[in-house]
């Protein structure tokens, strides 16, 4: 197995200063090609990626333009595809040689690096090995077991990669079986958006489309790391900057992609190495400090309004919004000292941002996990919406709010019924179409499902992709609980830690990846997904499957459903899977407005837009208006750190996709080597009496008395605000308390854990 050398920051400058993109991204692709040895023709596959007739990338959810670039893939999109198309295999021979107990000690990287799963496998407790089985046996046995379990004690999890077609079948299976327990990776991600944005503007998704980025004159960026997590978006940003658009970024970490970018597709930029500056102003807000930062900008706007008028769009506020007066009073009453203390930013800087905002006609607010993964995450979003509403920046060309979604179809899965809330789903229509009686009680989201795992209520867990056990908080407590389940079924492409935390009965069902040809009774199939800007795209895989025993995800869901449910002539699983156009017709029947002529529009260049009322200034909120929120606090953290406590921000490196660890180069942060680093600024290292390279244990300081710790971290100097430490996800997930989650949506507060640092070998906390 690869053993990385020690992680170190480049020594030539105190902190990494190279531009994002550039030759580094080309080298990143070359490295993964060498490492994964994909079969022949992979370059052709990459050239088709994100273009009509090709497959849609499985990495991020960023929009796919109608007129694609020559290479419509980025470094990390290429890595994701090549990682899927490796020639390495994880088949019966591998499982015969390694017990599950042994595999449980392997790292995330080493487990996935084995290669693609090739056969359906069943865990054999007597030998502690996975053994190959036939699909018939797998479906029959799992179906039989499910029929003996109370559906209400069962969870069907989805990670956001499965297509619209598969996701629709999955939720239908769950509801026909008898529950709404449909947690999704979105519950750990942008659920704060789905709930928070719905509350304030009546739409669970963003209001922008790609064209808006060619008209805006200011972009406010909060807690989203474009260079690593949605690099194709850098092209829009670069073009916006070149036409004079101002970009202001709020992030505790100076992320290179938001500082400057060399377009790898621009020969002169590559040759001259002349980067485009992305952010005009970059403010290293403290974690959880965005409410205060936004309050400061709003406060100065009121001051400017008093001085010169015409700053606030009074006509828009009067016609379209509610509760402005309470918001105004709260902001005017908030003292600057509190704003500065909570944001750790200077008044003068926030005033400067307000000046630019007041001068700009069309402004877009962008955000990611830096706003959503906090205890008061929804208020972060409410505050950003407040700022936009003050000048009518929602529902206008070139303006709006734009959450950047994570998984490539995570937004779409919610659109087609993956939700624990039956009120958000056309249940009546489904009952009518399929002759069902579907429960109306709310099911479990990820946080509740994890509580049910811990308290023993959960009996069966079925997972459509993902790595639930590794992605959730509080792994010190949850890891042991999996053994108590009656049934654990994992549909997957590669081995991961969730597959090693076996239950009384555990199954591993391997599926095709998106770039592979999906051939069914009627011939090769297309699938579809929805991007971050609510456009739906068709996707066609053309590569030969990694193994003859693989099934498509849709076929696996249909096989499981057929084996579990009583016969019902209206549930024609086999026919539907024979031709996915039938599934798209069912989606259209359930959501006729958004999916009208779904099959006919499947390959619309740039995708087809499913519409958004808030973009048209129709507010589907309780008041029927866009809602101002008066902030009752200035900090998004549940328990702000005290004394020597620090706030832990869990980070993604440039060499991972969630729990999939491609390698050990966090190039854009200048960090190379093992991932067990603890990033701290040099003054904090000194304040804690530590030194660089020292090994430390991090302890969670959440006040529920539970002992949560991660050892063996190496202190690494990094440019972060005071009282903030950074470390990688998922290795530090055991430190995040399950109880620390957004108060409205339940999204875990992965960006705001209070921690103490303890030098290893020393008894007392420092
Ligand atoms: N290559 C690659 N692409 C990915 C993924 C991946 O792992 N690798 N994951 C996918 C998924 S599922 C998702 S959800 C997205 C995630 O993409 P992002 O939304 O970018 O998520 P993160 O990288 O977790 O963190 C975002 C940023 O928030 C900053 N931050 C932390 N705390 C705060 C805060 O309190 N305030 C502010 N303003 N900023 C803060 C961090 O420094 C970081 O730069 O990316 C998707 N795309
Ligand atoms: N501390 C901390 N924790 C976090 C986060 C954080 O920022 N900090 N981020 C959260 C976020 S935003 C998210 S989205 C979750 C991610 O949680 P998940 O979506 O559950 O996790 P992934 O790591 O994306 O899942 C990787 C696995 O998916 C399987 N897989 C890959 N492709 C396919 C496919 O096409 N089909 C199928 N069936 N399986 C496939 C592979 O077996 C692979 O091992 O983690 C959350 N956890
Ligand atoms: Mo995510």
């Amino acid at each position: 197995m690869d053993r990385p050398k020690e992680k170190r920051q480049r020594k030539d400058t105190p902190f990494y200063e190279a531009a994002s993109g550039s030759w580094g991204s080309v080298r990143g692709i070359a490295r993964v090609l060498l490492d994964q040895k994909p079969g022949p023709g992979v370059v052709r596959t990459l050239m088709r990626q994100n273009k009509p007739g090709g497959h849609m990338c499985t990495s991020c959810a960023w929009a796919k333009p109608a007129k694609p670039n020559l290479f419509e893939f980025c470094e990390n999109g290429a890595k994701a595809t090549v990682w899927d198309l490796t020639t390495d295999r994880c088949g019966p021979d591998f499982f015969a040689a390694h017990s599950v107990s042994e595999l449980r000690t392997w790292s995330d990287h080493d487990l996935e690096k084995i290669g693609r799963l090739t056969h359906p496998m069943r865990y054999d407790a007597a030998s502690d090995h996975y053994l190959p089985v036939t699909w018939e046996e797998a479906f029959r046995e799992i179906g039989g077991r499910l029929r003996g379990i109370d559906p209400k004690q069962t969870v069907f999890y989805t990670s956001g990669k499965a297509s619209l077609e598969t996701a629709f079948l999955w939720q239908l299976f769950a509801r026909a079986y008898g529950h709404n327990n449909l947690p999704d990776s979105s519950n750990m991600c942008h659920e704060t958006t789905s709930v928070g944005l719905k509350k304030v503007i009546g739409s669970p998704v963003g209001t922008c489309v790609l064209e808006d980025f060619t008209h805006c004159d200011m972009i406010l960026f909060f807690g989203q790391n474009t260079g690593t997590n949605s690099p194709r978006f850098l092209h829009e940003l670069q073009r916006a900057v070149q036409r004079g658009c101002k970009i202001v970024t709020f992030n505790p970490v100076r992320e290179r992609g938001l500082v400057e970018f060399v377009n790898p597709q621009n020969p002169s930029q590559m040759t001259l190495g002349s980067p485009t500056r992305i952010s005009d102003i970059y403010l290293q807000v403290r974690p959880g400090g965005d409410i205060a930062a936004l309050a400061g900008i709003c406060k100065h706007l009121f001051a400017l309004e008093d001085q010169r008028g015409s700053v606030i769009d009074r006509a828009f506020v009067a016609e379209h919004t509610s509760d402005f007066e309470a918001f105004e009073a709260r902001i005017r009453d908030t003292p600057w000292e509190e704003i500065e203390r909570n944001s750790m930013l200077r008044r003068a800087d926030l005033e400067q941002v307000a000046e630019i905002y007041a001068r700009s006609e069309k402004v877009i607010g962008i955000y990611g996990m830096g706003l959503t993964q906090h205890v008061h995450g929804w208020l972060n979003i409410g505050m950003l919406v407040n700022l936009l509403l003050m000048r009518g920046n929602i529902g206008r060309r070139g303006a709006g709010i734009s959450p950047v979604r994570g998984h490539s179809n995570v937004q779409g899965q919610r659109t087609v019924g993956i939700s624990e809330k039956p009120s958000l789903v056309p249940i009546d229509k489904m009952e009518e179409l399929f002759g069902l009686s579907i429960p109306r009680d709310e099911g479990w989201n990820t946080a509740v499902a994890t509580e049910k795992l811990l308290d023993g209520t959960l009996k069966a867990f079925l997972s459509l992709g993902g790595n639930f056990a590794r992605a959730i908080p509080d792994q010190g407590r949850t890891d042991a609980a999996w053994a108590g389940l009656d049934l654990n079924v994992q549909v997957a492409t590669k081995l991961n830690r969730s597959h090693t935390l076996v239950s009384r009965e555990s199954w591993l069902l391997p599926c095709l990846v998106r770039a592979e040809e999906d051939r069914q009774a009627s011939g090769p199939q297309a699938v579809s997904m929805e991007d971050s800007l609510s456009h739906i795209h068709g996707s066609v895989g053309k590569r030969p499957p990694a193994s003859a025993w693989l099934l498509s995800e849709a076929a696996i869901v249909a096989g499981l459903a057929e084996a579990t449910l009583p016969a019902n002539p209206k549930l024609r699983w086999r026919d539907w899977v024979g031709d996915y156009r039938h599934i798209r017709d069912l989606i259209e029947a359930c959501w006729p407005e958004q999916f009208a002529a779904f099959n006919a529009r499947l390959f619309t260049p740039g995708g087809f837009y499913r519409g958004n009322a808030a973009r048209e200034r129709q507010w589907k909120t309780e008041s029927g208006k866009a809602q101002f929120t008066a902030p009752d606090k200035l900090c998004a953290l549940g328990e702000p750190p005290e004394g020597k406590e620090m706030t832990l921000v869990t980070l993604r490196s440039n060499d991972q996709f969630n729990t999939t660890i491609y390698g050990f180069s966090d190039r854009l942060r200048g960090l190379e080597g093992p991932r067990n680093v603890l990033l701290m600024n040099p003054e904090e290292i000194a304040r804690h009496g530590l030194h660089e390279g020292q090994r430390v244990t991090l302890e969670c300081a959440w006040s529920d008395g539970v002992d949560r710790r991660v050892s063996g971290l190496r202190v690494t100097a990094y440019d972060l605000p005071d009282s903030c430490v950074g470390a990688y996800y998922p290795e530090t997930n055991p430190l995040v308390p399950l109880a620390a989650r957004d108060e409205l949506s339940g999204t875990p507060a992965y960006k705001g854990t209070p921690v103490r640092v303890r030098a290893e070998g020393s008894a007392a906390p420092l």
Side-chain angles (χ1 to χ4, degrees), residues 212-219 240 243 245 362-364 398-399:
D212 292 322
F213 291 88
T214 60
H215 296 285
C216 57
D217 38 29
M218 182 185 194
I219 297 177
R243 21 168 219 92
C245 173
K362 289 162 276 179
V363 182
I364 293 179

Side-chain angles (χ1 to χ4, degrees), residues 378-448:
W378 79 271
L379 189 54
N380 278 331
I381 295 169
M383 280 302 293
L384 181 52
V385 167
N386 286 337
L387 176 62
L388 293 171
L389 292 178
M390 284 175 85
R391 287 180 50 77
N393 273 311
I394 296 188
R396 201 144 56 74
R397 190 169 82 154
I401 184 141
S402 194
V404 182
R405 298 276 170 167
H407 270 299
S408 53
N409 192 35
V410 67
Q411 186 170 313
Q413 294 181 343
R414 309 302 257 178
T415 307
V416 297
I418 301 284
S419 172
E420 76 283 0
K421 298 184 185 108
S423 57
L424 300 179
V425 180
I427 298 284
D428 291 342
K429 186 74 195 171
M430 287 181 195
E431 289 189 332
E432 176 201 320
L433 279 173
F434 307 113
L436 297 171
S437 167
I438 295 174
R440 303 292 166 134
D441 47 334
E442 192 160 308
W444 302 338
N445 63 13
T446 290
V448 178

Side-chain angles (χ1 to χ4, degrees), residues 271-283:
T271 318
L272 300 172
S274 55
T276 306
R277 175 194 40 67
I278 298 292
S279 297
D280 291 86
I281 301 177
Y282 202 115
L283 298 176

Side-chain angles (χ1 to χ4, degrees), residues 185 188-190 369 406-407 652 658:
S185 59
M188 298 181 252
C189 183
H190 265 294
M369 299 298 99
H407 270 299
R652 293 168 157 78
N658 297 341

